[in-house]
Amino acid sequence: MERWISRVAVVTGASSGIGAAVAKDLAKAGMVAVGLARRVERIEELRKDVPEDAAKRLHAIKCDISNQADIDAAFKQVEERFGGIDVLVNNAGIVRNVPLLDVNSSADIKSVVDTNVTGLVLCSQQAFQSMTKRSVDGHIINISSVVGHMVPNYPKLNVYPASKHAVKAITETMRQETRDAGRKVKVTSISPGGVRTEILDGVGLPEDTPLLDPHDISDAVLYTLATPPRVQIHEIIIKPAGERI
């Protein structure tokens, strides 16, 4: 991680769960960690959970990833305050716990797609442009899901699996485009199984379902970033021991 010390990492959906763990661990590793979320006060509270020197490197910007104007404003702030973006962790994601065929409003579908797919692409565009402008060999990491590789028999995931299948294709598209553009920007997808976060509320998992801790995913992010420039991690799939899917 030495080459990333004092460099700038933007983490979306950083107010809780995986995003919060990643933001804290990047700050502790010496990076300037900028967390984006609607509940910006919760990111600010994370400073209490890290050493004093890391707390000074942990910052919060209010941003709704489903809103392009918010994204544009947030990334402009990052450029003005910190000089640019070296690492982007696309973590923001939501699920609507309504069976797909029972959806009464297109809003339940649109909100998931706008956050999990469109927002991820828009943030990646902003980060890539910042990296390119400054000739930075940066890294874009997409937090996806095992349901982006298959569809489990859980009736309340709605279009969430479809959105994560889209992330898988988008990740590969971005990797090919960065290569064809002659840029040494790495693109990685990390697909966790069940993680003990708020997103599982209402999904209806059995009580004995094995789950990962958010820091298990953060460890994978740090591992990916720590690889030398010659190494490209395409995909990491992480499941809790004993998971059935």
Side-chain angles (χ1 to χ4, degrees):
M1 287 292 293
E2 288 81 5
R3 69 191 179 98
W4 297 112
I5 290 177
S6 298
R7 307 292 283 275
V8 178
V10 172
V11 183
T12 70
S15 61
S16 65
I18 295 171
V22 171
K24 289 189 294 185
D25 287 349
L26 291 178
K28 288 191 288 185
M31 295 195 74
V32 176
V34 184
L36 307 185
R38 292 171 296 177
R39 300 172 296 184
V40 69
E41 68 284 350
R42 293 182 63 170
I43 303 176
E44 293 167 347
E45 286 289 314
L46 299 179
R47 297 193 186 102
K48 299 177 181 178
D49 300 333
V50 297
E52 184 177 352
D53 62 327
K56 294 176 181 177
R57 293 189 294 270
L58 182 55
H59 305 273
I61 295 177
K62 187 175 181 64
C63 181
D64 180 350
I65 297 300
S66 69
N67 184 301
Q68 183 169 0
D70 267 24
I71 292 172
D72 292 343
F75 278 84
K76 183 178 180 181
Q77 278 197 61
V78 174
E79 292 281 344
E80 292 174 348
R81 293 172 58 185
F82 308 106
I85 302 153
D86 303 298
V87 170
L88 171 65
V89 181
N90 280 309
N91 166 75
I94 62 172
V95 63
R96 289 290 179 259
N97 302 133
V98 181
L100 186 63
L101 298 181
D102 290 344
V103 171
N104 293 318
S105 169
S106 62
D108 283 330
I109 297 172
K110 189 174 185 297
S111 60
V112 174
V113 174
D114 284 350
T115 300
N116 298 8
V117 181
T118 307
L120 177 145
V121 172
L122 294 176
C123 289
S124 299
Q125 289 174 344
Q126 293 272 4
F128 182 70
Q129 289 165 12
S130 176
M131 295 169 190
T132 299
K133 180 171 63 177
R134 296 175 297 115
S135 299
V136 168
D137 296 340
H139 204 140
I140 298 172
I141 299 175
N142 297 327
I143 305 300
S144 186
S145 169
V146 293
V147 304
H149 301 264
M150 46 76 71
V151 179
N153 187 27
Y154 296 143
K156 293 186 178 181
L157 290 179
N158 202 276
V159 294
Y160 183 77
S163 74
K164 293 303 183 178
H165 274 72
V167 169
K168 180 181 179 182
I170 289 165
T171 300
E172 184 58 32
T173 300
M174 290 195 298
R175 187 161 37 240
Q176 293 179 14
E177 289 189 1
T178 58
R179 178 200 62 207
D180 293 347
R183 306 302 311 168
K184 295 181 180 179
V185 174
K186 297 182 183 181
V187 185
T188 299
S189 176
I190 298 177
S191 295
V195 184
R196 197 175 303 281
T197 66
E198 294 174 2
I199 201 170
L200 291 182
D201 294 346
V203 171
L205 295 179
E207 290 186 6
D208 62 347
T209 300
L211 296 172
L212 296 162
D213 183 84
H215 284 282
D216 297 328
I217 314 308
S218 182
D219 287 345
V221 170
L222 267 65
Y223 163 75
T224 301
L225 290 173
T227 56
R230 67 179 181 275
V231 175
Q232 166 73 73
I233 304 293
H234 283 217
E235 172 79 37
I236 298 177
I237 297 177
I238 309 173
K239 295 185 178 184
E243 185 175 71
R244 293 184 176 89
I245 63 171

